[in-house]
Amino acid sequence: MRSPNRTTRAARAARAAERPARPPGTASLVRDSSLVWLAGGIVGVSFGAVSVAGGLPWWVPVLMSLVVYAGSAQFSAVGVLLAGGGPLAAAATGLLLNTRTAAFGLAVAGLLGPGRATRLLGAHLVTDETVAFALSQPDPGRRRAAFWVCGLGLFAAWNVGVAAGALAGSALGDTGRYGLDAAFPAVLVALVLPALRADRGVRRAALLGAAIALAAAHAVPAGIPVLLALLGLFTLPGVRR
């Protein structure tokens, strides 16, 4: 006679085998990207507070963050509006700064997966931090998982932070005194360090791009040096071909 316990164990094992396997390393990706989310939420609070303290309605930074979702471009566009510029000038400034994401999109195009809707959503999540976090992973499968884990989490953290800052309004005072603008650069440096250590070509491209940006910083408007730094990419063998 067959043991009921053995039958139960066999049934449980069969049910467990039918469950979809959890992507390997998801927990570690969540843990590693949580720093990026935290930085995004903190800077988002600053953006929302600055926008409302400058006189914009609370819904403007909230809607902009949902639809545009581009940190530096949003700061620049709001800066133009608060300085008295029109909506067209603000939009043109944001678009100019965001042209750098074209290169990022090419770098992660193969990570987004099939389907038009998936690729459209993935394109909306392309940011400096998401791309850097994804490309720092060791293999294509982990890069894809890292892109989506970091991208979706950062999108949520940024928008929650912006909403909190907008609702707080001017109660936070001058957010610049807290040094919040240093959060994202610090995270980016941490993300790109492994690639800089491992690849001499990447180091050469990064150093050239940094030199170009520093040289142009005092001669062109804010945001343009970042675009000019992309010229450093042409030192990479794959780009030259």
Side-chain angles (χ1 to χ4, degrees):
M1 182 177 176
R2 191 170 185 179
S3 169
N5 290 336
R6 184 179 300 174
T7 303
T8 303
R9 286 196 299 269
R12 288 174 180 169
R15 287 195 296 268
E18 293 174 356
R19 297 193 194 107
R22 187 180 184 184
T26 301
S28 65
L29 290 176
V30 171
R31 183 189 65 240
D32 295 342
S33 60
S34 60
L35 180 62
V36 182
W37 303 343
L38 178 62
I42 291 173
V43 180
V45 170
S46 175
F47 173 72
V50 166
S51 301
V52 173
L56 294 177
W58 67 268
W59 57 266
V60 171
V62 172
L63 182 62
M64 183 186 292
S65 296
L66 288 170
V67 177
V68 179
Y69 184 52
S72 59
Q74 289 179 225
F75 272 104
S76 299
V78 166
V80 170
L81 291 175
L82 296 182
L88 290 179
T93 301
L95 286 172
L96 180 61
L97 288 179
N98 250 22
T99 54
R100 72 188 190 283
T101 59
F104 299 159
L106 294 175
V108 298
L111 305 180
L112 303 185
R116 183 174 299 179
T118 300
R119 298 180 73 83
L120 182 62
L121 175 60
H124 191 56
L125 298 178
V126 170
T127 64
D128 312 54
E129 299 77 23
T130 304
V131 171
F133 183 70
L135 296 183
S136 67
Q137 305 305 315
D139 59 79
R142 191 169 172 84
R143 289 188 197 113
R144 176 173 295 179
F147 175 84
W148 287 105
V149 168
C150 183
L152 290 171
L154 182 58
F155 180 80
W158 171 261
N159 282 281
V160 168
V162 170
L167 293 175
S170 57
L172 294 176
D174 181 12
T175 57
R177 66 185 178 185
Y178 303 124
L180 301 181
D181 54 342
F184 264 161
V187 170
L188 278 175
V189 169
L191 290 175
V192 302
L193 275 179
L196 293 176
R197 292 195 187 104
D199 193 316
R200 181 180 298 177
V202 173
R203 287 198 299 272
R204 183 168 57 245
L207 287 173
L208 178 58
I212 293 173
L214 287 173
H218 299 290
V220 296
I224 303 300
V226 177
L227 301 178
L228 295 177
L230 293 175
L231 294 173
L233 294 174
F234 288 98
T235 64
L236 297 174
V239 177
R240 288 201 300 267
R241 288 197 297 268

